[in-house]
Amino acid sequence: MSITPTDAPVRARLSTLDRWLPLWIGLAMVGGLLLGRYVPALGHTLEALEIAGISLPIALGLLVMMYPVLAGVRYDRMAAVTGDTKLLVSSLVLNWLVGPALMFTLAWIFLPDLPEYRTGLIIVGLARCIAMVVIWNDLACGDREAAAVLVAINSVFQVVMFSVLGYFYLTVLPGWLGLDTAGLDVSVGQIALNVLVFLGIPLAAGFASRAIGERTRGRDWYEDTFLPRIGPWALYGLLFTIVLLFALQGEQVSENPADVARIALPLLAYFGLMWAIGMVTGKLLGLGYARTATLAFTAAGNNFELAIAVAIATFGATSGEALAGVVGPLIEVPVLVGLVYVTLWAGRRWFGVDPRVTPGRNVAPTGVTPSDTEVRP
C-alpha cells in the first residue's frame, strides 16, 4: 500500500520471518549440528569447493544475505543527515572510536585465555551496522531517513577503515600494551581484500540496483515491488550460512558449551553498553527522541555478516574466530529486540513523548516494505 501525507503515526511491523528470527537461527544451528554429526562427508565437500581458503557455498550465502539490505538503502538522501553535524560526528565517534575500543576491552577482560574467540569478538566490534539496524530503528520509532543515511555512510567508511583498524586492534595495540599477541598477526592486505569482496561487491550491486531500477521503472516500483521480492533473501542467506558453519563447527560447539557461553557474556555487555552510550549522548546533545534512538541503534548494531565473512576467509571456517562471529547474531538479535521496548519506554520517561503516537512521515520506512506498514487512525 502507498501511504499518503497524513499526521497519523506509522507503525512498522516485522514479517513472520523477521519476528521469529531467533527461532529460525536456533533451528539453523541445530540443523547444522545434526548435519555435521550424521553427514560427515559435508565437511569434505565444502573443503573441495574452496578457492583461496574460502568455501564457495559459504561465500555465496554471505553475499546473498548482504545484497538485499544494501539494495534498500536510499543513497540519494545523504544530505538529510550530513547537514546535522552533531548527529553525524557523534555517530562516527561511537561507531569507529568507542565501539571497537569497547569490544577490544571486553574481549580481553572476558576471554584473556582464549585468543581465537577473543580475536573473533574484536572483529565483530570492527564490523559496524549496515543491516538489521534499520528494522530495530523503525520498531523504536527512530528517524528512518537518518538511519538509512548513517547505514550508507558506515558502509562506505567500513571499506576504508576496517582493515586499518583490524591491524591496529589485532596487532599494534596489544603490542603497545604488552599483551599476548600470539596468533593475532593479521595481514592488512588480506582483510582489505575480504572486505572489498564481501562488502564492496554487494554495496556496488545495491547501489546499481537502485539507480537502474528507479531510472527504468520508478521509485514506487522499486520499493513496492522489487525490494519486497528480494528482502527475504537476506535472512535466507544468513540461515544458509549458519547451517553450514555449525555443520563445520558442530564438534567444537558440542564439546565446548562453556566456551560458547563465555563468548556470549562480553557480547551481552557490549550491546547493552553501546546502546546506553548512544542514548545518553543523544540526550546530552539535544538530538530529540527520534534521532537519539537512531544514534543508539546504529551504535549498538553490528554487521555480523561481514564479521563472519572476514573470520572465515582469514582464519578458516572451522576456526574459533568464525565460531565467535556466528555467536554474534544469536546474541544481537534478541538483545536488540529487547532494547526496542526499553527505548520506547525511555522516550516517555526521558524525552517526555510517546514515540508510538508521534506523527510519522509520509513515506514507507527504509528496510521495511510498504506491506509491513499501516496507518493508524
Side-chain angles (χ1 to χ4, degrees):
M1 62 176 286
S2 60
I3 302 177
T4 56
T6 177
D7 287 335
V10 176
R11 178 166 59 92
R13 300 176 300 166
L14 287 174
S15 67
T16 300
L17 184 64
D18 292 325
R19 185 167 56 251
W20 296 101
L21 181 58
L23 173 62
W24 309 140
I25 290 179
L27 292 176
M29 292 170 54
V30 173
L33 292 174
L34 292 177
L35 282 174
R37 173 179 287 271
Y38 296 108
V39 189
L42 177 61
H44 299 295
T45 301
L46 293 176
E47 291 175 0
L49 295 174
E50 286 187 356
I51 294 180
I54 299 176
S55 169
L56 294 182
I58 293 177
L60 176 63
L62 293 169
L63 292 175
V64 167
M65 81 167 73
M66 296 183 70
Y67 166 68
V69 293
L70 292 175
V73 172
R74 290 183 175 177
Y75 296 92
D76 60 343
R77 296 200 170 195
M78 299 198 62
V81 172
T82 54
D84 189 338
T85 305
K86 291 190 294 184
L87 176 63
L88 179 60
V89 172
S90 58
S91 178
L92 291 175
V93 169
L94 290 180
N95 274 285
W96 298 103
L97 294 180
V98 177
L102 177 61
M103 185 66 90
F104 175 87
T105 303
L106 292 173
W108 274 97
I109 290 175
F110 284 90
L111 303 170
D113 57 330
L114 297 172
E116 289 189 357
Y117 300 150
R118 185 173 66 236
T119 299
L121 286 184
I122 292 173
I123 292 175
V124 171
L126 297 175
R128 309 314 302 165
C129 63
I130 68 167
M132 294 291 287
V133 66
V134 294
I135 297 178
W136 314 139
N137 174 76
D138 207 73
L139 288 174
C141 303
D143 189 317
R144 306 182 194 109
E145 186 173 286
V149 173
L150 291 179
V151 163
I153 291 174
N154 277 317
S155 300
V156 176
F157 203 73
Q158 199 156 190
V159 174
V160 179
M161 292 302 300
F162 187 94
S163 60
V164 176
L165 291 176
Y167 179 72
F168 176 76
Y169 280 104
L170 296 177
T171 303
V172 176
L173 186 57
W176 288 352
L177 298 177
L179 300 174
D180 179 16
T181 59
L184 300 183
D185 186 12
V186 182
S187 167
V188 175
Q190 186 177 14
I191 293 181
L193 177 61
N194 292 317
V195 172
L196 289 174
V197 170
F198 289 109
L199 179 60
I201 290 177
L203 179 62
F207 180 84
S209 295
R210 179 170 286 277
I212 295 173
E214 290 189 358
R215 185 179 301 113
T216 58
R217 303 292 295 274
R219 172 164 289 187
D220 288 342
W221 173 86
Y222 184 81
E223 297 194 342
D224 296 351
T225 303
F226 181 72
L227 289 183
R229 287 177 180 173
I230 68 170
W233 284 94
L235 298 184
Y236 298 154
L238 170 63
L239 297 176
F240 174 76
T241 304
I242 289 177
V243 168
L244 295 183
L245 286 173
F246 271 79
L248 292 171
Q249 294 278 4
E251 182 177 355
Q252 189 172 356
V253 170
S254 61
E255 291 183 355
N256 302 284
D259 289 350
V260 174
R262 289 187 61 184
I263 294 172
L265 288 177
L267 285 168
L268 285 169
Y270 172 82
F271 293 127
L273 286 172
M274 287 301 296
W275 172 86
I277 293 171
M279 290 294 292
V280 172
T281 300
K283 177 67 173 178
L284 293 177
L285 293 177
L287 295 180
Y289 171 78
R291 290 201 166 180
T292 295
T294 299
L295 179 65
F297 279 101
T298 52
N302 282 78
N303 180 8
F304 49 79
E305 301 95 333
L306 177 61
I308 293 172
V310 171
I312 291 172
T314 305
F315 301 99
T318 59
S319 66
E321 290 86 353
L323 177 60
V326 171
V327 175
L330 306 182
I331 303 302
E332 177 175 351
V333 171
V335 168
L336 291 190
V337 168
L339 288 176
V340 165
Y341 296 97
V342 179
T343 304
L344 292 170
W345 171 85
R348 297 186 293 270
R349 182 81 176 192
W350 298 349
F351 294 86
V353 300
D354 187 344
R356 292 191 180 278
V357 299
T358 300
R361 298 174 183 267
N362 63 333
V363 296
T366 302
V368 180
T369 63
S371 61
D372 287 330
T373 62
E374 65 177 13
V375 178
R376 293 185 299 174

